[in-house]
Amino acid sequence: MSEVWVTLTTPQAGPPLWIVLLAALAALAVVTWSASWQLSRGLITIAHEGGHALTALLTRRKLQGIRLHSDTSGVTLTRGRPTGPGMILTAAAGYVAPSLLGLGGAWLTSAGYVAILITIVIALLFCMLLLIRNLFGVVSLLATGGATAALTWYAPPDVDAVLAYLAVWFLLFGGVRPIVELQRKRRHGRAPSSDADQLARLTFLPGGFWVLLFLLVAGAALLGGAYLLVPLPLAFH
């Protein structure tokens, strides 16, 4: 256990700046290219539903389960008061969760604590697995967690660091696109039960306000994460 603790708490040197920037470009390409986005969007959905679930637990709502679907959609079922702060926070947590997770990951990665980041991710995936209520969701989480654990176990630390940067950039960029897609669907009347519209019914604030708030949080997380991963003095050195 002492060796594990030392491994977790010992910062490791990050990759060169050009690799960090290359990882950012690669993540941006995955998010912006439609084909790769459809293949990878499920990872954002996992973070989205995880955000709902964690907030529900923190606000003392009863969590009934999580379902992940093959069309990259998902749903988190909770019980409790149908109105009030707990319900509002739970509904608001989904779209901002990937970006906030990316920001936290950027802080850990930039500080060299890649092992801690990977451990947290695997622990969260395991906890989420206990709440999954459909087969596709179980397979998705096992595949994601298994791949993460396998890469951590077999890959050299330098490779782990590069993959961590790539994953964090993906969360930061990938947290923005679903919000843009949400507003596009709402504009065409194709998302009447979206999180933003549920929040509109809960708070009497328009759905557009919540979409804008989601976008501001995601944008701030992206800027903050980029600053942590590529500090400006270093970038212009």
Side-chain angles (χ1 to χ4, degrees):
M1 290 300 296
S2 61
E3 292 180 1
V4 173
W5 178 253
V6 170
T7 301
L8 290 176
T9 57
T10 302
Q12 66 183 79
L17 178 60
W18 69 270
I19 291 183
V20 175
L21 296 176
L22 186 62
L25 290 175
L28 182 60
V30 170
V31 171
T32 54
W33 188 35
S34 296
S36 57
W37 174 243
Q38 288 304 314
L39 291 174
S40 61
R41 193 185 193 281
L43 299 175
I44 298 297
T45 302
I46 291 173
H48 178 114
E49 300 305 330
H52 283 313
L54 180 59
T55 307
L57 292 174
L58 292 176
T59 56
R60 298 185 178 182
R61 293 184 62 81
K62 185 175 181 180
L63 189 58
Q64 291 185 298
I66 303 170
R67 300 176 70 88
L68 302 173
H69 303 134
S70 58
D71 62 353
T72 71
S73 66
V75 61
T76 300
L77 303 174
T78 66
R79 289 180 60 186
R81 289 183 56 193
T83 59
M87 186 63 199
I88 293 171
L89 290 172
T90 300
Y95 275 100
V96 299
S99 297
L100 295 179
L101 181 60
L103 180 60
W107 176 67
L108 287 172
T109 303
S110 63
Y113 296 113
V114 173
I116 292 180
L117 173 62
I118 294 173
T119 303
I120 291 174
V121 169
I122 292 176
L124 290 175
L125 289 173
F126 176 77
C127 292
M128 197 171 174
L129 180 63
L130 301 178
L131 301 168
I132 291 293
R133 297 295 180 263
N134 67 322
L135 179 60
F136 182 83
V138 171
V139 173
S140 298
L141 285 182
L142 286 177
T144 304
T148 304
L151 288 171
T152 302
W153 185 264
Y154 293 107
D158 291 344
V159 175
D160 286 342
V162 173
L163 293 175
Y165 273 89
L166 181 61
V168 168
W169 280 118
F170 174 74
L171 287 170
L172 292 171
F173 288 124
V176 176
R177 178 161 178 172
I179 302 171
V180 177
E181 293 176 341
L182 170 64
Q183 183 56 25
R184 189 179 301 124
K185 290 179 181 179
R186 293 185 66 255
R187 190 180 300 118
H188 294 90
R190 291 184 290 147
S193 300
S194 70
D195 292 353
D197 293 284
Q198 291 183 42
L199 286 163
R201 291 188 286 270
L202 288 168
T203 63
F204 303 105
L205 293 169
F209 166 84
W210 291 103
V211 174
L212 178 60
L213 181 61
F214 296 159
L215 193 59
L216 289 174
V217 172
L222 175 57
L223 292 175
Y227 176 78
L228 289 170
L229 297 172
V230 188
L232 290 178
L234 177 61
F236 292 101
H237 180 69

